[in-house]
Amino acid sequence: MSTLQGYDLRTFCGPIELSHGTYTDDPKTSLKQQRLYDLVSEDQVIWCGQDEPAVHNETGKYIHDIDADPRDIVAVIDSLVWSHILEYPPRYIPPEEHSDLRYQAGISEGNCDEALHKAEDAYLADNLPNDLWTGVIKDAITKKSDQLLLKFPLVFSTIANVDIVTEEMASRGRRKK
């Protein structure tokens, strides 16, 4: 799991101040984040994704690779549902899942665009609950885009690696492989 933070988790002792977080410039999103934290009864968490975080314009921030221990997991977040709670475009599907849909549409017979549109519609119908808040928290990771909320400070999890985002990394949008 990876997370992008404005501080080094190896030395930052907290507490995490939501008033200084990612969504401070967007009160609507901040309220939704607080509602999510109320649902999980915890606001001292770090968000971790299964893939490397995007680092566009994030020079000086820290990418932490974390070996997450189940005892530190506060919640598994369905990022598709969370994205729709945040009011991403109505047809938004996380890139990890959308690439699978594009591949399937590409190998299907007939019009690829039409096949992709049908696959997207089916995916959204199968994966978005009528009440988004009832589906945002999951029992387990089931999709590539699922994210974890880890209790901070980490007690059982291990920080495996830390990189500081350089200008070169930010210009490429990712770490050098």
Side-chain angles (χ1 to χ4, degrees), residues 9-70:
L9 295 174
R10 297 171 301 180
T11 57
F12 178 72
C13 298
I16 297 171
E17 297 289 339
L18 298 182
S19 61
H20 299 290
T22 304
Y23 301 123
T24 56
D25 294 340
D26 184 352
K28 197 169 162 184
T29 300
S30 288
L31 288 172
K32 292 173 184 179
Q33 182 182 30
Q34 187 58 58
R35 182 170 176 191
L36 176 65
Y37 292 168
D38 289 345
L39 284 174
V40 300
S41 302
E42 184 60 64
D43 67 359
Q44 295 298 297
V45 296
I46 54 173
W47 288 73
C48 293
Q50 297 177 72
D51 290 326
E52 183 176 308
V55 295
H56 303 285
N57 303 315
E58 302 293 346
T59 302
K61 291 194 176 183
Y62 297 83
I63 300 172
H64 300 82
D65 296 322
I66 299 174
D67 292 329
D69 185 289

Side-chain angles (χ1 to χ4, degrees), residues 45-110:
V45 296
I46 54 173
W47 288 73
C48 293
Q50 297 177 72
D51 290 326
E52 183 176 308
V55 295
H56 303 285
N57 303 315
E58 302 293 346
T59 302
K61 291 194 176 183
Y62 297 83
I63 300 172
H64 300 82
D65 296 322
I66 299 174
D67 292 329
D69 185 289
R71 295 172 288 182
D72 282 333
I73 298 173
V74 173
V76 177
I77 302 299
D78 186 313
S79 66
L80 170 71
V81 175
W82 180 242
S83 297
H84 283 266
I85 287 171
L86 295 180
E87 300 177 17
Y88 280 33
R91 297 188 59 77
Y92 175 80
I93 296 170
E96 300 86 353
E97 279 83 34
H98 199 259
S99 65
D100 294 340
L101 297 177
R102 283 193 315 270
Y103 174 77
Q104 292 302 320
I107 62 171
S108 68
E109 292 184 23

Side-chain angles (χ1 to χ4, degrees), residues 66-73 150-151 154-160:
I66 299 174
D67 292 329
D69 185 289
R71 295 172 288 182
D72 282 333
I73 298 173
L150 297 180
K151 175 81 172 122
L154 302 172
V155 175
F156 302 102
S157 300
T158 304
I159 297 172

Side-chain angles (χ1 to χ4, degrees), residues 110-130:
N111 183 317
C112 287
D113 290 337
E114 187 176 302
L116 178 59
H117 191 78
K118 285 182 181 179
E120 290 169 340
D121 287 344
Y123 181 89
L124 292 169
D126 290 344
N127 290 282
L128 284 178
N130 288 332

